[in-house]
């Protein structure tokens, strides 16, 4: 690839290769701005987003693989079905304890309660963290993984939600939650600089207190 006629990101190079050299090359991409999470892949040994990963101009080659330890559909496209089923299993939607009153527009919360969601709601479900986790590699059929567990904690911390007890009961499982051994690969690779390991630790702490 001629870097003089290519954008600075790995995704730019992949698009150029597909356009000019190999139209069969298959990968996911959408926003090009680190928002959608579609272009998650393993680049030079680390899970990241191709649209946020700069091409190293000094390197002669770059090694690009699909996200590790997932079934591959084609080229750089992993099968995300299991990941999304696990996300669905935590019921990631607001479950208020009471219905809206007549004339009520939305469920309100204080700024302090809203701030508790910071560092979790920004997750784009790219699966970089989960597929960097050794526990998830070996137990993907039972262990929910960092991304899904952080989203579960996000709903546990939402002051508008009334299903916290139910959510905690669902997570209190040796396979769903306690396969996390705080290796912290998840936090190291997160392209949004979030901390799934901390969220998982907080879930364990809350369960221990009940």
């Amino acid at each position: 690839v001629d870097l003089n006629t290519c954008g600075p990101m790995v995704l730019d190079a992949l698009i150029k290769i597909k356009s000019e050299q190999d139209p069969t090359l298959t990968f996911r991409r959408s926003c090009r701005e680190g928002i959608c999470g579609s272009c998650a892949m393993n680049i030079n040994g680390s899970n990241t987003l191709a649209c946020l990963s700069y091409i190293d101009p000094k390197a002669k080659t770059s090694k690009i693989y699909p996200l590790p330890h997932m079934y591959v559909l084609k080229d750089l496209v992993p099968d995300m079905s299991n990941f999304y089923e696990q996300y669905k299993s935590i019921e990631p939607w607001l479950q208020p304890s009471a219905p809206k009153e007549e004339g009520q527009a939305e469920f309100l919360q204080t700024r302090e309660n809203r701030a508790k969601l910071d560092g979790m709601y920004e997750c784009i479900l790219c699966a970089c963290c989960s597929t960097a986790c050794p526990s998830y590699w070996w137990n993907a059929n039972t262990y929910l993984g960092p991304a899904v567990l952080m989203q579960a904690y996000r709903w546990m911390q939402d002051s508008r939600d009334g299903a916290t007890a139910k959510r905690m009961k669902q997570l209190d499982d040796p396979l769903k939650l306690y396969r996390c051994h705080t290796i912290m690969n998840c936090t190291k690779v997160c392209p949004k600089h979030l901390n799934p390991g901390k969220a998982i630790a907080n879930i364990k702490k809350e369960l221990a207190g009940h």
Side-chain angles (χ1 to χ4, degrees):
V1 175
D2 183 0
L3 298 184
N4 294 317
T5 61
C6 178
M9 301 299 184
V10 171
L11 181 61
D12 294 318
L14 291 173
I15 292 173
K16 186 175 180 65
I17 292 170
K18 185 175 179 68
S19 299
E20 300 177 4
Q21 300 178 26
D22 183 2
T24 69
L25 177 63
T26 305
F27 53 91
R28 293 188 178 109
R29 88 290 186 274
S30 183
C31 73
R32 298 168 63 109
E33 295 182 355
I35 300 298
C36 70
S38 299
C39 64
M41 54 190 73
N42 185 283
I43 300 172
N44 293 325
S46 181
N47 294 352
T48 188
L49 301 178
C51 65
L52 297 183
S53 180
Y54 283 96
I55 300 170
D56 183 357
K58 297 178 182 179
K60 292 184 178 180
T61 60
S62 293
K63 295 183 179 181
I64 305 172
Y65 301 93
L67 290 175
H69 292 268
M70 299 184 88
Y71 292 107
V72 177
L73 300 178
K74 186 184 178 188
D75 296 339
L76 298 173
V77 179
D79 185 352
M80 301 283 283
S81 302
N82 182 60
F83 179 79
Y84 290 137
E85 282 299 317
Q86 290 175 321
Y87 180 57
K88 180 181 176 182
S89 74
I90 65 166
E91 301 181 2
W93 54 82
L94 190 65
Q95 300 179 42
S97 55
K100 287 183 179 179
E101 298 177 2
E102 186 176 351
Q104 181 180 353
E106 61 251 332
F107 293 100
L108 301 177
Q109 62 183 165
T110 64
R111 291 183 178 181
E112 291 75 19
N113 284 332
R114 167 59 186 78
K116 292 179 181 178
L117 308 182
D118 290 344
M120 295 186 287
Y121 81 88
E122 302 95 329
C123 174
I124 55 176
L125 297 173
C126 63
C128 281
C129 62
S130 292
T131 54
C133 172
S135 294
Y136 192 74
W137 296 345
W138 314 132
N139 304 281
N141 58 329
T142 51
Y143 175 50
L144 292 180
V148 173
L149 287 172
M150 183 168 71
Q151 288 309 296
Y153 188 61
R154 173 253 180 275
W155 288 104
M156 287 169 57
Q157 287 295 292
D158 197 320
S159 61
R160 302 165 297 174
D161 191 77
T164 301
K166 183 184 78 170
R167 296 183 191 280
M168 292 176 67
K169 185 177 180 180
Q170 289 176 338
L171 291 176
D172 194 6
D173 181 281
L175 297 177
K176 287 182 180 179
L177 172 65
Y178 292 100
R179 290 297 175 187
C180 171
H181 301 299
T182 50
I183 298 169
M184 301 302 286
N185 279 6
C186 53
T187 300
K188 291 177 183 176
V189 301
C190 177
K192 305 298 285 185
H193 308 294
L194 307 181
N195 193 341
K198 181 180 179 182
I200 296 171
N202 285 335
I203 295 175
K204 293 177 179 178
K205 191 185 299 182
E206 293 207 13
L207 286 171
H210 281 70

